[in-house]
Amino acid sequence: MLQDIRQNVVKGPVAKVVIWLIVISFAAFGIESILVGGSGGGVAEVNGEEISPMELQQAVTTQKRRLISMLGDQLDPALLDDERLGSQALQGLINRKLLMQAAGDMGVVISERGIGQVIAGMEDFQEGGQFSPELYKALLADSGYTPALFKQILREDLALNQLRSGISGSEFATPLELELNARVTGEQRDVRYVTIPIDNFRQPAEVSDADIEQYYRDNQSRFLTEESVDLDYIELNLEDFFQPVDEKLILEAYELERDSVENLTESRVSHILFEPGEDQEAKLEEAQALLAGGAEFAEVAGKLSDDFGAAASGGDLGYTTGDAFPAEMEQAIAGLEPGVVSSPVETDAGIHLLLVTDRKEGQAPELDEVRDRLQDEIQRSEARVALLRTVEELKDLSFNADDLHGPAGQMELLVERAERVKRMADEGLFANPTLNSLAFSEDVLEAGHNSDVVELSESHFVVLRVHSHHEPEIKPLETVRSEIVRQISEETARNAVTLEAERALVELRGGVGVEQFASDNGYQWQVEIGAGRNNTMLPQPVLRRAFELPAPESGASLADYVMTPAGDIMVFELARVTIGEFESMPEEQREALKNQVGVEYGSMVDTEFQQGLRDEADITVL
């Protein structure tokens, strides 16, 4: 339907009817009913407790940051789709809510002092081994957290870890279970093997024309060209819109910056916080008495403050220019002389005693010191406006255009050509997953439409159209003749080495030992006694296959062979299997096995516990 509207009726009466229906819907129900579901309430309820849209958005944003951090330049923008992430994030929030409810029912509590100690001990918030309030606030702000929100999330995380550790830690492995696990994990196998190199069978091959032609006819699917497209595209970069900056604008920007800096006062502040509680007034009076008696502010903060993160550094909160703290605190700070302790100041967090430890008046830099920066900022700002205007106009013109040349001509833009762009291209502009996916999409490749204008970054946009489509074709024989000769020669060598391996198996199964066979035929052989599953001396293909075979009967052996990716064949003999015994294992291996089994069992119990919570819960997704 959307394609029909796009192609036939964008300017016709049907489109007008559709638009009026949308307008009527907005007027009758509000745009929120269409964009976010209307009520503005929670997105889910778990046993009567609501999960808010804000919580869901925060979880989605956290997932996005995690993906960006993990994948970097390799990130496919499609992975950041809100709808895709929203479903996963909501299920995670439901599980978290269930666990928090269970933790509350079990009386799991994390003290404020404990939270403060954890924050103060986090290396990310430390400079020179000491907790840094400025770094703490800066990192939280960069991550989209307030200190209060971070503490709340940390409190929940600590409670959940305590709950899940207690549940999973309650599970243990019995001696019999350890013995059964040891029989498998501690099993050892005696293996002898001989290597038959494929190079012994690689000979200069005389391949006839008839053989080449027959191979070509029988294996044409191997000689297809890769599907590709030739693309027309318009690329917009911020740098394309750079213009010389008027000196007048630089001077105006400098005047504004100078005025703001000269009027800027920075105050370094320490505080002692008394959170609401029965002992709040008593602790406040004790602190005031100690300070009046000459005690150092930092010492009193370390002893009595409920802000344990700041208390670790004497109550230091870092610098503020008047907007870092709640309004009540900023008002008090502005009126304080350095070195003077304030009267009690009340905020939502509790009651504060404040101390200004340093105050710096702003000093503006000289014009020459900031000219280049100001010029660059102005140039980029103006270019950004021009770029976005161009992008919006290009979106409108290209949406229904028959090609890109028409919009480009109207806007004086350049249409470029990229030839033979393959699916999953690994270099160039169209190695970008979003652009590559668009180039081969149904709408662009099959329907022949212009793509949307894609935002690759805030300063880089691309719109594309398929100029021509090159479907896979059989390559001419002459272009693949040498490749066919190589493949025939390789297959001949592999067949020969496989026949040799089959001959070796016949002899080994007939009673000839590995050592004897290797000596008779000029091959190298090796033996590994008591090889475990994690052995690093045996070639991995041999080790893997040796542990797949059943144990040989007493006094007998089993023989088999494996081919390596390079084409060499290793013929081996499994001579003996020794069952693992827990008591015979070294102490460190026994402890490792206990931990491994404990973790596995604990994980199973944790999974079952969470599933049980979901089964018994009243969950409503709104």
Side-chain angles (χ1 to χ4, degrees):
M1 178 181 175
L2 292 177
Q3 294 301 332
D4 292 339
I5 293 174
R6 175 176 183 171
Q7 290 179 317
N8 302 317
V9 297
V10 172
K11 298 181 180 179
V14 175
K16 293 179 181 178
V17 171
V18 172
I19 292 170
W20 273 109
L21 286 174
I22 294 172
V23 171
I24 292 169
S25 298
F26 285 177
F29 305 107
I31 191 170
E32 294 85 357
S33 66
I34 293 176
L35 296 182
V36 295
S39 66
V43 294
E45 284 187 1
V46 181
N47 292 327
E49 288 190 33
E50 186 179 271
I51 295 176
S52 70
M54 184 178 296
E55 289 178 275
L56 179 59
Q57 186 57 54
Q58 180 69 46
V60 169
T61 301
T62 299
Q63 285 197 29
K64 286 182 179 180
R65 287 198 177 103
R66 192 171 297 147
L67 287 170
I68 292 170
S69 175
M70 286 183 353
L71 300 178
D73 294 339
Q74 303 301 315
L75 176 67
D76 181 352
L79 295 176
L80 301 181
D81 178 66
D82 279 2
E83 185 174 348
R84 173 187 293 186
L85 294 178
S87 177
Q88 301 172 1
L90 181 58
Q91 292 306 314
L93 288 172
I94 290 172
N95 286 341
R96 185 180 181 89
K97 185 72 72 176
L98 287 169
L99 287 169
M100 284 304 301
Q101 291 171 351
D105 292 343
M106 295 181 185
V108 178
V109 177
I110 305 299
S111 70
E112 285 297 322
R113 180 173 294 276
I115 294 172
Q117 290 172 342
V118 170
I119 292 175
M122 289 182 174
E123 292 185 2
D124 289 342
F125 302 143
Q126 294 182 356
E127 287 183 342
Q130 295 295 319
F131 177 79
S132 168
E134 295 94 341
L135 182 60
Y136 173 63
K137 289 186 293 184
L139 288 177
L140 292 188
D142 288 344
S143 301
Y145 293 98
T146 64
L149 176 60
F150 179 74
K151 287 179 69 176
Q152 177 60 32
I153 293 174
L154 180 60
R155 179 183 288 107
E156 291 181 1
D157 285 344
L158 292 173
L160 292 182
N161 287 339
Q162 185 173 328
L163 170 68
R164 297 177 70 178
S165 296
I167 291 170
S168 60
S170 66
E171 185 62 27
F172 61 91
T174 65
L176 178 58
E177 288 171 327
L178 289 173
E179 188 63 41
L180 290 174
N181 276 274
R183 287 173 64 87
V184 177
T185 60
E187 182 181 297
Q188 296 180 343
R189 300 197 166 203
D190 298 350
V191 180
R192 300 181 182 88
Y193 68 97
V194 58
T195 302
I196 305 176
I198 192 173
D199 285 344
N200 291 6
F201 302 89
R202 284 193 173 116
Q203 304 296 333
E206 291 293 335
V207 183
S208 69
D209 289 343
D211 289 340
I212 293 173
E213 292 171 3
Q214 185 63 46
Y215 192 93
Y216 178 71
R217 287 193 297 271
D218 293 344
N219 299 277
Q220 289 190 343
S221 61
R222 298 187 184 183
F223 306 116
L224 294 176
T225 59
E226 190 172 346
E227 180 187 16
S228 64
V229 289
D230 295 340
L231 299 174
D232 289 340
Y233 67 98
I234 299 173
E235 184 176 14
L236 301 176
N237 287 289
L238 185 67
E239 292 78 7
D240 299 334
F241 295 84
F242 282 178
Q243 297 292 335
V245 178
D246 191 328
E247 180 69 15
K248 180 181 177 181
L249 294 177
I250 296 176
L251 293 175
E252 289 176 355
Y254 175 69
E255 292 295 331
L256 287 172
E257 181 166 314
R258 186 182 65 184
D259 290 345
S260 64
V261 170
E262 288 180 345
N263 293 327
L264 186 68
T265 299
E266 287 188 299
S267 299
R268 185 162 191 165
V269 183
S270 294
H271 83 148
I272 303 172
L273 173 65
F274 308 97
E275 292 185 337
E278 294 181 359
D279 61 346
Q280 184 185 48
E281 289 296 332
K283 290 175 67 176
L284 172 61
E285 292 175 3
E286 181 183 356
Q288 289 177 313
L290 289 171
L291 293 170
E296 292 291 333
F297 190 92
E299 179 183 345
V300 177
K303 178 181 179 182
L304 297 177
S305 179
D306 289 327
D307 183 352
F308 299 106
S313 54
D316 184 29
L317 295 174
Y319 284 93
T320 176
T321 58
D323 56 3
F325 306 120
E328 300 91 341
M329 290 180 64
E330 292 292 357
Q331 185 177 356
I333 291 167
L336 270 181
E337 291 296 325
V340 177
V341 179
S342 74
S343 300
V345 177
E346 188 167 358
T347 69
D348 290 342
I351 297 176
H352 309 255
L353 294 178
L354 304 173
L355 175 70
V356 175
T357 57
D358 185 31
R359 179 162 285 151
K360 297 187 293 186
E361 302 295 334
Q363 183 173 359
E366 296 296 327
L367 175 60
D368 289 342
E369 297 177 45
V370 295
R371 175 185 293 277
D372 291 343
R373 175 175 60 80
L374 293 176
Q375 178 174 297
D376 182 66
E377 289 176 357
I378 295 169
Q379 187 178 53
R380 287 184 173 277
S381 177
E382 293 185 337
R384 177 72 176 160
V385 172
L387 170 63
L388 294 180
R389 285 176 178 167
T390 303
V391 167
E392 291 306 312
E393 185 178 357
L394 182 58
K395 286 180 179 179
D396 292 339
L397 293 177
S398 65
F399 185 76
N400 289 302
D402 293 332
D403 57 27
L404 293 179
H405 292 280
Q410 289 181 247
M411 301 178 64
E412 298 183 353
L413 299 173
L414 174 65
V415 177
E416 299 181 76
R417 174 72 53 79
E419 297 183 342
R420 298 287 178 176
V421 175
K422 301 174 181 178
R423 290 184 187 267
M424 306 302 293
D426 57 3
E427 62 181 11
L429 176 64
F430 295 98
N432 179 281
T434 300
L435 292 181
N436 194 273
S437 177
L438 269 178
F440 289 91
S441 68
E442 179 180 350
D443 190 44
V444 175
L445 178 60
E446 298 181 17
H449 295 142
N450 296 331
S451 76
D452 293 331
V453 179
V454 180
E455 180 179 359
L456 300 180
S457 71
E458 63 179 12
S459 60
H460 190 192
F461 296 80
V462 174
V463 59
L464 60 88
R465 181 185 184 89
V466 173
H467 177 268
S468 53
H469 180 204
H470 306 286
E471 297 200 31
E473 298 176 345
I474 299 173
K475 298 176 184 177
L477 174 58
E478 291 309 313
T479 64
V480 296
R481 178 179 291 273
S482 60
E483 181 182 347
I484 291 175
V485 170
R486 284 195 300 273
Q487 290 187 9
I488 291 176
S489 299
E490 180 66 16
E491 288 182 12
T492 300
R494 287 184 178 244
N495 289 337
V497 74
T498 300
L499 287 174
E500 179 70 351
E502 295 287 353
R503 183 177 73 85
L505 278 186
V506 171
E507 293 198 23
L508 265 58
R509 290 168 179 170
V512 175
V514 168
E515 181 179 3
Q516 183 63 49
F517 176 81
S519 177
D520 292 344
N521 294 277
Y523 298 130
Q524 294 183 341
W525 73 283
Q526 290 176 286
V527 61
E528 187 70 21
I529 304 297
R533 294 177 182 273
N534 297 322
N535 184 279
T536 57
M537 301 302 293
L538 276 176
Q540 284 303 302
V542 174
L543 181 68
R544 186 165 50 250
R545 181 59 183 148
F547 272 91
E548 291 174 351
L549 294 177
E553 296 181 2
S554 178
S557 63
L558 296 175
D560 205 346
Y561 69 85
V562 291
M563 178 177 283
T564 69
D568 297 335
I569 286 185
M570 296 176 178
V571 182
F572 67 90
E573 181 182 49
L574 174 60
R576 183 175 58 182
V577 173
T578 304
I579 300 299
E581 295 181 359
F582 183 75
E583 293 302 325
S584 299
M585 300 172 76
E587 177 63 26
E588 60 183 32
Q589 289 186 20
R590 292 203 300 269
E591 288 302 315
L593 182 60
K594 287 181 182 178
N595 291 335
Q596 177 187 335
V597 174
V599 168
E600 291 174 356
Y601 287 7
S603 177
M604 291 169 57
V605 170
D606 181 55
T607 300
E608 290 297 323
F609 176 71
Q610 293 191 52
Q611 186 59 51
L613 292 178
R614 288 190 75 104
D615 292 342
E616 297 176 4
D618 181 11
I619 300 172
T620 303
V621 177
L622 304 175

